[in-house]
Amino acid sequence: MDIRAIEDRLTGRAARLRELYMGAFPEAEAERLVLETKKQNQKMALLILLVAVVVMCAYALDQGGDGLDGFDLARPVVGGVPKTIEAEVHAEYGGYTARERAAVRILPREPSPEEAEGLLLALGQRLPGIILGSNASLDAIMHDLKLPSADPETGAELSWRSSDARIISNEGVTNLVGISEGTTVTLTAYVRLAGEMQTFHIAVKTGAGVPESGIGAALKARLAEAVKEASGSRDGEAVALPAETSDGVRFVWMPPERTEGVAAVFGCVLLMFFYLTQRYRKAARDIEKARAEIERDFPDFIQKLGLLLGAGLVITSAIARITDDYIKTRESYGRRRLYEELAAAQERVHAAGTPLAYEFSELARRSGLRELMRFSSTLSDNIDKGSTLADKLRAESELLWDSRKKRAEAAGRIAETKLIFPMALQILAVIAITVMPATFEMS
């Protein structure tokens, strides 16, 4: 199959579109609509294909390698920020497998004594900012302090002692009841890192105011121990993920599945499927719109025709008069499909001499409207009987106007149904605006 055939199927088969449009429009207009629909479908197909390619490329690039190649296991530099890797782990033993998604925390390398001393001094300078919590300043303590037991950046261990635990406890809980503003409390931090220890004193002042069972559970417990062991290790330049325990439990580490990428690809497939099912939707809408316009204007045409026949004109002259009046005023009042069809038919009658009844039968066939089919049959039977045809058209006009009124009433009921949801939203908005001030005042 060549490229043109693929493009033709993807954007809607031209033969199928031509068949649809030729059934409702004259040949020239049908060809124009086929080209217009093909171009619109081409743009939509190219956009969907571009989105699908971008999503699939991003998904492919996002996939990690096999085994440990998909992980960055290098430890951060001394004093750096710890990092965490996520992995999907399969613990296998004796034919059993436990699958878990684990997070392994990779700590910085254990510092030397000289490096530890520098890190502790730097930590001492950061401590006043670390313990602030939600307070604005250490000179106006109003809320509990944040006294950490470890520093996440260096891994240093901290313990605290307050000079007055009645005001600020060793855990940082602040109690200002009966305490005057500006009371000073000294917090002592004992910091230990890699065998080195430092003591820091920080003075603060008070402000004003007051389970599973069986083998599966056992494997998951072993897995948790392995993750804890790997996360707490500082040995070596890189983390060594355990592969097997002494009693034969094996661990298979792999990057976690990227389900969001699969969802995105699936969404692209659904989008393409939706597009393929809607390739001929524009043609159906164009045909439906043309039929609705003809159906809307047909009662007006029959009424005018009946009046002209009653005034003494023959059918051909009456239709020519209606068509000429439309052509003179269409630039001011806009184009209307029924009268455009009549004008085209009138030209063919004058140019090729085709019978007027034949032109109306063709128009009735293309539109598929029962009213036009009935009028075409009546016209064929009474083409030479002006007065009889006028009487029949008067009765037909009354019937058409009644049908148009019923369609308008049905459309009005549909519109009322569609307005229910917007009206409900408006009512909810009014209720919210009315109730919210009272709610805020009560709270």
Side-chain angles (χ1 to χ4, degrees), residues 47-58:
L47 179 61
I48 293 175
L49 288 175
L50 178 62
V51 171
V53 169
V54 170
V55 169
M56 290 180 181
C57 290

Side-chain angles (χ1 to χ4, degrees), residues 349-421:
V349 168
H350 290 311
T354 55
L356 185 63
Y358 172 78
E359 292 293 340
F360 269 97
S361 66
E362 281 297 300
L363 177 58
R365 180 189 62 79
R366 292 200 308 271
S367 66
L369 296 177
R370 290 178 298 175
E371 294 85 350
L372 259 173
M373 294 178 182
R374 192 165 58 242
F375 172 72
S376 174
S377 176
T378 302
L379 183 63
S380 299
D381 295 339
N382 299 273
I383 190 70
D384 298 322
K385 303 174 184 177
S387 59
T388 305
L389 182 58
D391 294 337
K392 291 184 177 181
L393 289 181
R394 278 193 291 270
E396 181 71 14
S397 177
E398 293 178 0
L399 179 63
L400 290 173
W401 280 110
D402 287 340
S403 299
R404 182 171 175 177
K405 182 173 69 173
K406 291 178 180 178
R407 288 195 299 271
E409 292 174 351
R413 287 192 294 269
I414 294 174
E416 290 177 359
T417 304
K418 292 181 178 179
L419 286 174
I420 291 176
F421 182 69

Side-chain angles (χ1 to χ4, degrees), residues 14 54 98 166 257 319:
V54 170
R166 182 175 57 91
E257 295 181 0
I319 294 177

Side-chain angles (χ1 to χ4, degrees), residues 130-387:
I130 294 175
I131 69 173
L132 261 179
S134 57
N135 294 284
S137 169
L138 293 181
D139 292 330
I141 298 299
M142 299 288 295
H143 308 285
D144 291 345
L145 295 173
K146 183 180 179 181
L147 303 182
S149 59
D151 177 37
E153 292 190 14
T154 62
E157 300 175 357
L158 294 95
S159 59
W160 298 86
R161 184 174 297 277
S162 171
S163 63
D164 192 340
R166 182 175 57 91
I167 302 174
I168 300 176
S169 71
N170 294 334
E171 290 76 28
V173 178
T174 301
N175 185 351
L176 300 181
V177 176
I179 305 302
S180 59
E181 181 181 1
T183 301
T184 300
V185 178
T186 300
L187 297 172
T188 302
Y190 303 94
V191 189
R192 182 184 299 274
L193 176 63
E196 296 294 317
M197 184 170 180
Q198 291 281 353
T199 303
F200 300 100
H201 304 283
I202 304 174
V204 300
K205 294 181 180 180
T206 59
V210 202
E212 295 180 4
S213 60
I215 188 69
L219 288 177
K220 290 184 177 181
R222 296 294 180 86
L223 180 57
E225 293 174 4
V227 171
K228 183 178 179 181
E229 179 183 352
S231 298
S233 171
R234 286 177 175 272
D235 297 331
E237 294 295 329
V239 170
L241 298 178
E244 187 173 358
T245 64
S246 58
D247 51 2
V249 178
R250 295 189 302 111
F251 300 104
V252 181
W253 300 80
M254 62 191 68
E257 295 181 0
R258 309 294 296 186
T259 56
E260 62 273 13
V262 175
V265 173
F266 183 67
C268 288
V269 172
L270 286 181
L271 186 62
M272 178 59 75
F273 176 77
F274 177 77
Y275 161 74
L276 292 175
T277 60
Q278 298 296 314
R279 287 175 297 170
Y280 303 104
R281 181 61 181 167
K282 180 180 181 300
R285 288 198 303 267
D286 291 340
I287 295 171
E288 186 65 27
K289 181 180 178 182
R291 288 174 176 170
E293 291 177 356
I294 293 175
E295 189 176 26
R296 184 185 64 234
D297 289 334
F298 190 61
D300 178 69
F301 165 72
I302 293 296
Q303 188 176 44
K304 290 179 181 179
L305 187 60
L307 290 174
L308 292 176
L309 290 177
L313 294 180
V314 296
I315 184 69
T316 54
S317 300
I319 294 177
R321 175 70 176 272
I322 294 172
T323 304
D324 292 341
D325 289 344
Y326 165 73
I327 293 174
K328 292 177 183 178
T329 60
R330 68 181 171 186
E331 296 301 326
S332 301
Y333 296 99
R335 294 178 177 269
R336 298 160 73 177
R337 172 149 298 278
L338 174 62
Y339 294 102
E340 289 289 331
E341 291 277 5
L342 292 177
Q346 195 71 16
E347 290 180 3
R348 289 191 292 271
V349 168
H350 290 311
T354 55
L356 185 63
Y358 172 78
E359 292 293 340
F360 269 97
S361 66
E362 281 297 300
L363 177 58
R365 180 189 62 79
R366 292 200 308 271
S367 66
L369 296 177
R370 290 178 298 175
E371 294 85 350
L372 259 173
M373 294 178 182
R374 192 165 58 242
F375 172 72
S376 174
S377 176
T378 302
L379 183 63
S380 299
D381 295 339
N382 299 273
I383 190 70
D384 298 322
K385 303 174 184 177
S387 59

